[in-house]
Amino acid sequence: MLPTSSKSAGKAPDTEPGTSADVPMAGVYDPDSLDGLSQTVDQREVRYEQLLDTFRASIPSFSGDIKQDHMSARNWMRKVIRWRREVLSGINNLLFIAEITRLLTGSAKQVVEYADFTQPSQILETIQRKFPHSLYQRELIKLIETGEAFVDCEGPHLMARLDRYIEELHDCAIGMVAIADAIHRLFPLYWEFLDISLTNVSSEDLVISIQQINRRLERNDMARHTPYGKMIRVVKSKPSESTNSPSANTSKNPPKSANKPNRNAQRHAQNKSKLNLLVDLLLKERTEAAAPAAPSPPRNAPSAPPSSQSFH
């Protein structure tokens, strides 16, 4: 039963400053429990539009795709439930269901798109049933082992993702070993300084190890992680026979620079031809000057005697 309103009682409420007797104290709930999500008190004085805008900005969208969300349905639901109990407890149930549906995308939205829900717990139960946490953990371990879970991660973003995966797999021994092996591959130079045993790995040990690596990375700005598995990008060269390849385009339509002759090359060829002609002329003159001249006949020399042959 709700406490009596101060206005109806006609006297000042017997409460501490800053609290309201109209709002019941929130009970202690399990973070995974779906109890206590229905509308409790109509708090009309609060500006719910601003609260809903903050709710949309604080809760990420959920699609059910592990590569896109990087968050399990269980942790996503925990965030939604916490907001419902602590901040949005006075909002109408249908309005809150509409806000939840607005945050869903992809396959998660298809699951609840045509369903008729009247309580927030109903839509959250459907999401929890369609995206079980055990299946998420199994798929996440596969991505960690292949390195695909850390694609396009750099610096602090990589460390934050490691922290999130530790939170998702803290109750799975195989998951703890997979994360420890990933840290070994990502930071082989720092592994020898870490106190981690692959036979008995706990989430506390991994969190402490990540903090130690963070401190070492802050001291050395040039330090980087080592990619492994599918983190290593392989650039495939396009076939030369393809019509879209640059080689094919250059053969059919050569660039404009290829049609224009080089001026320096033209000048060099002209100077070389002139030099060759000059060398040929000099050699010709030298050969003519070195050759002996033929002796000329003397001026008063007698003429040759006539031939003895006569004509009859």
Side-chain angles (χ1 to χ4, degrees):
M1 180 177 179
L2 295 177
T4 306
S5 174
S6 59
K7 296 181 181 179
S8 62
K11 60 180 181 179
D14 188 13
T15 58
E16 297 180 359
T19 61
S20 176
D22 294 337
V23 182
M25 297 297 294
V28 179
Y29 295 98
D30 180 66
D32 297 326
S33 175
L34 300 178
D35 299 332
L37 299 183
S38 299
Q39 181 181 0
T40 57
V41 180
D42 186 10
Q43 302 174 352
R44 297 182 180 179
E45 297 179 359
V46 182
R47 297 181 180 180
Y48 287 113
E49 294 182 358
Q50 297 179 358
L51 293 177
L52 289 176
D53 291 340
T54 308
F55 172 73
R56 300 185 196 108
S58 302
I59 305 298
S61 60
F62 181 76
S63 64
D65 186 358
I66 183 174
K67 297 180 182 179
Q68 181 178 350
D69 299 330
H70 301 291
M71 179 184 296
S72 64
R74 184 179 70 178
N75 281 344
W76 183 82
M77 288 172 55
R78 285 179 176 178
K79 294 179 179 294
V80 175
I81 291 171
R82 183 179 179 183
W83 266 83
R84 175 61 171 175
R85 288 174 178 164
E86 298 180 4
V87 183
L88 303 176
S89 60
I91 291 183
N92 183 271
N93 293 335
L94 295 180
L95 179 59
F96 188 69
I97 292 173
E99 291 297 327
I100 295 176
T101 308
R102 188 175 181 178
L103 294 174
L104 299 176
T105 60
S107 58
K109 187 173 184 178
Q110 295 177 0
V111 169
V112 302
E113 189 171 7
Y114 299 104
D116 187 12
F117 302 108
T118 58
Q119 299 293 332
S121 58
Q122 295 176 351
I123 185 174
L124 294 178
E125 285 176 356
T126 303
I127 296 174
Q128 187 178 21
R129 184 172 61 255
K130 293 296 182 180
F131 303 98
H133 192 65
S134 58
L135 180 61
Y136 174 84
Q137 287 181 332
R138 186 180 67 180
E139 296 297 328
L140 179 58
I141 291 173
K142 291 181 181 179
L143 295 180
I144 293 175
E145 290 177 347
T146 59
E148 195 171 357
F150 307 106
V151 173
D152 298 331
C153 284
E154 295 290 341
H157 185 49
L158 174 62
M159 311 309 292
R161 188 168 294 186
L162 282 170
D163 286 331
R164 185 181 301 175
Y165 291 159
I166 292 173
E167 181 183 359
E168 298 284 2
L169 301 173
H170 72 277
D171 56 348
C172 179
I174 300 178
M176 293 291 97
V177 175
I179 294 177
D181 183 62
I183 294 175
H184 184 196
R185 295 185 181 186
L186 290 170
F187 305 98
L189 299 178
Y190 300 126
W191 179 257
E192 58 184 13
F193 301 101
L194 304 178
D195 188 13
I196 298 179
S197 176
L198 294 178
T199 58
N200 187 15
V201 185
S202 63
S203 59
E204 292 79 8
D205 296 338
L206 295 179
V207 171
I208 295 173
S209 301
I210 292 177
Q211 292 175 356
Q212 294 177 357
I213 295 175
N214 262 330
R215 288 194 293 268
R216 292 181 179 273
L217 293 177
E218 290 176 357
R219 297 173 186 173
N220 187 3
D221 296 336
M222 301 300 294
R224 295 290 185 271
H225 67 276
T226 303
Y228 73 96
K230 292 188 177 181
M231 292 182 68
I232 304 174
R233 297 180 178 179
V234 179
V235 180
K236 297 182 180 180
S237 59
K238 296 182 180 180
S240 59
E241 297 178 359
S242 176
T243 57
N244 297 328
S245 62
S247 59
N249 294 333
T250 54
S251 60
K252 295 182 180 179
N253 300 321
K256 296 181 180 180
S257 60
N259 298 328
K260 294 182 180 180
N262 193 351
R263 294 182 178 180
N264 295 330
Q266 283 185 345
R267 292 176 181 175
H268 180 71
Q270 292 176 0
N271 295 334
K272 188 175 181 180
S273 62
K274 292 179 180 180
L275 181 62
N276 292 334
L277 291 176
L278 181 61
V279 170
D280 293 340
L281 291 175
L282 292 175
L283 291 176
K284 187 176 181 181
E285 291 179 357
R286 288 182 180 181
T287 53
E288 290 179 354
S296 58
R299 295 180 180 179
N300 299 325
S303 60
S307 176
S308 59
Q309 186 177 5
S310 60
F311 297 92
H312 296 283

